[in-house]
Amino acid sequence: MKKRLEYVDQIRGLAILSVVIGHIIQFNNIQGGLDNRVLNIIYSFNMPLFFFISGYIGYKTIKVSDINSFLQHLQKKFIGLCIPLLTWSLIANEIFFKHQGISITIEDITNTILRPNLWFFKTLFEIFAFYGIFAWVSSIKKNNFWIDLLLFAVIVILTSGYSILLGNKVLSSLLLYSLFFYMAVFVSKYPFLEATIMNPLVFAFSFILFVTLCGFWDIRGTIYDDILKVLISSFSFIVFLNVTIRTQWNPFISKQIMTFGKYSLGIYVIQFYLTKLTVDSPMLLFNNLNPILLFVVCTAIAIPICYIAIGISKLIELNETLDFLFLGKRKKTIAKKRNQIETMRLQNYA
């Protein structure tokens, strides 16, 4: 069996590659853009897959047991998610890439906070914030499935109330993605659930239903499509988890996919500036391709885009300040200095 982080990075890598493929089709209005069949199949599961993985690995890595650890958890997620959101939305978009004038208005700030284009960062931070409460209370009664289920119901109520306060509908995208996140938390926490989804019969059943149902989802659909998305995404998580754990990948391909996964945050942001391949007109060249060939061609375009985004991310990483602002990373040297200062402070009090 592979190391946990290997297959987590592989799933992230495949998910971010599918995001780039989808955006190539959408932003270039290939075969109708949002009405394209390949795009609808991809969008039926790819972003939920990120929330599944976040919940799955989040349980393993996030420990909250008191107010201090809760605040540290919030601080870490704010730096990792909200700082890049603010930097890319306000500095990059409004200063570096703005066509006319250089200014940041109150409206820009409000939209970034409430309705950001990089919605994934905001939604994931909100989910992690509520998860801090879940993890804190859950730590009191460890490994009690029914209490955790009750806690999840409370989180659903809190999330719904929060969505309503922000003027959103009760069945908001935040609630929908929270469902994916917590499903994976339960799978990660309780071995009997993980053993169940790793069962070969469950895998086969999930694979058949995933392949069958994903073609019926419509991005412009109704609440029934939301329900269908929950089913498709759940089956996709089971399929991707089984495939990445059980399959012996070619070492070179595995390394590349894992690299995509490790740099998924940077790829997610930077690909927005790269996937619009033409200035004005749609890419009519692709209009007569069948869905399979279209997927293959778009994948061939998406892979170098991912490598370009990784290259830019690595350049950003060379400078601690830029790395902090654009990728939400704090170098170990900074954390080490803070620990040294805190140790000296405690020694002075002693």
Side-chain angles (χ1 to χ4, degrees), residues 8-116:
V8 166
D9 280 333
Q10 286 173 344
I11 295 175
R12 280 196 184 121
L14 293 171
I16 195 62
L17 182 60
S18 72
V19 168
V20 179
I21 294 169
H23 284 168
I24 289 171
I25 296 172
Q26 178 183 350
F27 297 161
N28 296 284
N29 198 28
I30 297 174
Q31 295 184 7
L34 290 177
D35 296 318
N36 179 268
R37 182 175 177 81
V38 174
L39 179 139
N40 274 265
I41 290 174
I42 290 172
Y43 281 10
S44 70
F45 70 89
N46 66 346
M47 292 312 294
L49 200 54
F50 277 109
F51 290 96
F52 273 117
I53 287 300
S54 297
Y56 184 80
I57 200 66
Y59 168 73
K60 307 294 186 185
T61 58
I62 298 171
K63 305 300 176 186
V64 179
S65 57
D66 52 37
I67 185 64
N68 287 331
S69 56
F70 176 72
L71 293 176
Q72 288 172 0
H73 163 69
L74 286 183
Q75 180 190 42
K76 182 179 179 181
K77 295 307 175 185
F78 182 85
I79 291 172
L81 296 167
C82 296
I83 296 296
L85 168 62
L86 294 170
T87 302
W88 286 101
S89 299
L90 297 177
I91 297 178
N93 288 347
E94 298 301 327
I95 296 178
F96 295 158
F97 297 108
K98 198 164 187 179
H99 296 297
Q100 295 181 347
I102 298 177
S103 64
I104 299 175
T105 65
I106 297 297
E107 184 181 3
D108 293 330
I109 297 172
T110 302
N111 288 334
T112 298
I113 295 173
L114 298 179
R115 296 171 294 276

Side-chain angles (χ1 to χ4, degrees), residues 94-349:
E94 298 301 327
I95 296 178
F96 295 158
F97 297 108
K98 198 164 187 179
H99 296 297
Q100 295 181 347
I102 298 177
S103 64
I104 299 175
T105 65
I106 297 297
E107 184 181 3
D108 293 330
I109 297 172
T110 302
N111 288 334
T112 298
I113 295 173
L114 298 179
R115 296 171 294 276
N117 290 326
L118 298 173
W119 62 269
F120 174 75
F121 289 88
K122 175 178 180 287
T123 302
L124 189 57
F125 173 75
E126 291 167 336
I127 290 173
F128 271 127
F130 282 112
Y131 177 69
I133 300 172
F134 177 93
W136 185 358
V137 179
S138 181
S139 68
I140 300 171
K141 282 285 186 179
K142 295 181 178 179
N143 298 323
N144 190 313
F145 178 80
W146 298 109
I147 288 180
D148 281 347
L149 207 58
L150 180 62
L151 278 175
F152 171 64
V154 173
I155 294 296
V156 168
I157 294 171
L158 291 175
T159 302
S160 300
Y162 171 76
S163 295
I164 293 171
L165 284 175
L166 292 180
N168 300 320
K169 56 185 180 181
V170 176
L171 190 60
S172 62
S173 59
L174 173 60
L175 185 59
L176 192 63
Y177 289 119
S178 295
L179 177 62
F180 302 137
F181 181 93
Y182 283 96
M183 286 170 64
V185 166
F186 275 82
V187 168
S188 185
K189 183 172 184 178
Y190 292 101
F192 79 91
L193 290 177
E194 188 161 12
T196 299
I197 69 172
M198 293 302 297
N199 182 287
L201 287 177
V202 174
F203 167 55
F205 179 76
S206 300
F207 179 81
I208 292 170
L209 286 176
F210 169 59
V211 173
T212 302
L213 295 176
C214 64
F216 290 95
W217 184 77
D218 184 1
I219 195 171
R220 305 181 191 275
T222 63
I223 188 172
Y224 298 106
D225 287 280
D226 291 337
I227 296 171
L228 185 60
K229 186 167 188 171
V230 172
L231 294 174
I232 295 169
S233 301
S234 301
F235 293 136
S236 77
F237 176 61
I238 296 173
V239 169
F240 277 86
L241 195 63
N242 274 272
V243 167
T244 52
I245 290 177
R246 297 180 185 278
T247 304
Q248 292 299 320
W249 293 55
N250 174 281
F252 175 79
I253 295 176
S254 176
K255 184 179 179 181
Q256 307 315 307
I257 295 297
M258 286 172 60
T259 302
F260 289 175
K262 291 174 183 177
Y263 284 91
S264 57
L265 185 148
I267 294 173
Y268 172 72
V269 175
I270 296 168
Q271 56 87 30
F272 280 102
Y273 303 98
L274 302 173
T275 46
K276 176 64 174 173
L277 305 177
T278 60
V279 178
D280 296 314
S281 60
M283 300 183 68
L284 301 177
L285 178 65
F286 295 160
N287 278 357
N288 294 322
L289 290 179
N290 69 52
I292 296 175
L293 283 178
L294 177 63
F295 177 78
V296 171
V297 171
C298 289
T299 301
I301 298 172
I303 290 173
I305 287 176
C306 289
Y307 281 120
I308 293 170
I310 290 171
I312 295 172
S313 297
K314 288 184 176 182
L315 287 175
I316 291 172
E317 287 177 341
L318 295 175
N319 182 275
E320 289 188 3
T321 302
L322 294 179
D323 199 19
F324 174 78
L325 291 173
F326 286 91
L327 298 177
K329 296 178 183 177
R330 289 188 297 178
K331 295 293 185 184
K332 291 182 179 179
T333 53
I334 297 175
K336 188 176 180 180
K337 287 178 182 177
R338 287 190 174 182
N339 290 334
Q340 290 174 345
I341 293 172
E342 182 66 16
T343 301
M344 292 175 60
R345 187 181 66 82
L346 293 173
Q347 288 175 347
N348 290 334
Y349 277 112

